[in-house]
Amino acid sequence: MDILGLCRFSYLGEGGFKMTHDTLDDRRAFLYQQERLVTRFRHFEAITLPSVAGQTDPDFRLLVVIGQDFPAPYLDRLQNLTRHVPQVLIRAYPPMRHRRVMIRAMRDNYGAPEQPSLQFRLDDDDAMGRDFIARFRETAEDTRALWSKHRAIAVDFNRGYVFRAGPEGLQVCAYSYAYSAIALGIIVQLGLKDTIMDYTRGKLWTDMPTVTFPHEDMMLRAHHDFNDSRMKRGGKPFDYTPLTRVQERYFKNRFNINNARGKQVFSRPLE
């Protein structure tokens, strides 16, 4: 089975964000401002990338899609961070409609037609459980009779944590959310070239059969000043608490997140 993931990293294009801009230059200024990029890089280094590198099943690829004019110093930084994570493939595209270019990126890197295509998304500040790839593949095997009858099916692991990160380390709150951009995938029938970006993730249940796993901590969702969408919980703030020593060990085992390392990363000056 071919497993392909998609991570948008401050891609400069049209659409794709809830925040709108009048011109492409306005969007460029927003996406590439130093404080925003540093925030994304801190999360990517301390949270996202460890969860990718720590997968118990390493047989997958993750496309990191950037714009062709991504600032050179930050491109060097991205390449250096991912150099020893062979699953990561950095791909640059010109400014286009966001959904169109993400579909193109997935299709440009599609696997062999005789293999079923397992696809997932991961934002550049979130994390997935260390066994997400293994469980995704296992579910594909278990549901072969189902997805062979449908154009695609969705697989959703909808439990985990929302978190804030800073020099003091992680602060977390237990969280369940259906069809988020984390620990969610689709399995595409043989011979088709549908991509996960052909569908609206929050409405996958209206387009295809879905298989839901509500009892495994599989997603870790970031909350910070540069979230594209402001997360709400019935209008009430999240009840964040710092990780205990026991939780630190659990997060290392579950997500490959080292809280002490995270404190170091988030304590650095802007650079």
Side-chain angles (χ1 to χ4, degrees):
M1 295 182 178
D2 183 67
I3 304 182
L4 180 64
L6 176 69
C7 178
R8 174 188 67 178
F9 202 114
S10 296
Y11 168 74
L12 176 64
E14 302 174 36
F17 292 90
K18 295 184 183 298
M19 180 177 292
T20 59
H21 299 92
D22 292 333
T23 68
L24 196 63
D25 285 338
D26 290 340
R27 173 153 294 190
R28 180 183 290 106
F30 167 74
L31 289 180
Y32 296 162
Q33 62 177 289
Q34 183 187 40
E35 185 179 359
R36 182 185 181 279
L37 274 181
V38 169
T39 296
R40 310 307 293 201
F41 266 99
R42 286 172 174 172
H43 283 80
F44 187 73
E45 178 179 353
I47 307 297
T48 309
L49 200 57
S51 81
V52 173
Q55 287 298 302
T56 59
D57 181 345
D59 187 13
F60 68 98
R61 294 166 294 141
L62 178 67
L63 303 177
V64 176
V65 178
I66 61 174
Q68 284 187 339
D69 66 346
F70 196 74
Y74 290 105
L75 176 57
D76 291 342
R77 185 172 177 179
L78 184 61
Q79 291 172 332
N80 288 332
L81 282 175
T82 59
R83 193 178 308 279
H84 300 296
V85 185
Q87 293 84 3
V88 172
L89 307 172
I90 300 171
R91 296 291 184 263
Y93 286 88
M96 298 168 55
R97 291 294 302 173
H98 170 264
R99 188 171 294 274
R100 184 180 304 166
V101 78
M102 296 303 156
I103 291 171
R104 175 180 165 185
M106 295 292 282
R107 289 182 176 167
D108 284 350
N109 292 274
Y110 226 83
E114 65 273 12
Q115 293 179 308
S117 179
L118 281 60
Q119 303 169 22
F120 67 96
R121 291 173 56 179
L122 182 66
D123 285 349
D124 60 15
D125 54 358
D126 297 331
M128 54 189 176
R130 291 182 60 238
D131 60 344
F132 170 72
I133 298 297
R135 294 284 288 114
F136 192 16
R137 189 189 305 278
E138 178 184 54
T139 303
E141 294 287 1
D142 291 344
T143 59
R144 186 178 291 270
L146 180 62
W147 54 256
S148 65
K149 297 176 183 177
H150 297 273
R151 191 171 190 93
I153 72 167
V155 178
D156 183 28
F157 295 86
N158 60 22
R159 196 179 88 169
Y161 296 86
V162 60
F163 74 94
R164 294 187 306 197
E168 71 286 349
L170 289 186
Q171 298 180 10
V172 302
C173 179
Y175 183 66
S176 293
Y177 191 89
Y179 308 110
S180 75
I182 319 158
L184 169 70
I186 68 168
I187 304 169
V188 179
Q189 193 182 84
L190 288 172
L192 301 180
K193 282 209 169 184
D194 289 18
T195 77
I196 196 168
M197 294 302 298
D198 286 299
Y199 302 93
T200 301
R201 61 175 175 79
K203 295 181 179 180
L204 281 176
W205 60 275
T206 69
D207 295 317
M208 63 186 68
T210 69
V211 179
T212 300
F213 294 93
H215 299 130
E216 304 173 49
D217 288 331
M218 196 65 82
M219 62 176 181
L220 199 55
R221 186 176 185 188
H223 194 184
H224 53 76
D225 291 341
F226 291 100
N227 284 121
D228 182 45
S229 58
R230 298 293 177 257
M231 293 184 295
K232 297 179 181 179
R233 194 183 206 187
K236 299 179 181 179
F238 288 96
D239 184 18
Y240 293 104
T241 57
L243 293 185
T244 65
R245 291 291 179 87
V246 172
Q247 286 178 313
E248 285 186 343
R249 291 193 292 271
Y250 177 72
F251 270 65
K252 184 65 172 71
N253 291 331
R254 191 78 201 96
F255 298 101
N256 200 34
I257 304 300
N258 185 320
N259 199 37
R261 172 65 175 161
K263 292 177 182 179
Q264 294 176 352
V265 171
F266 281 90
S267 295
R268 295 171 186 162
L270 290 177
E271 54 183 353

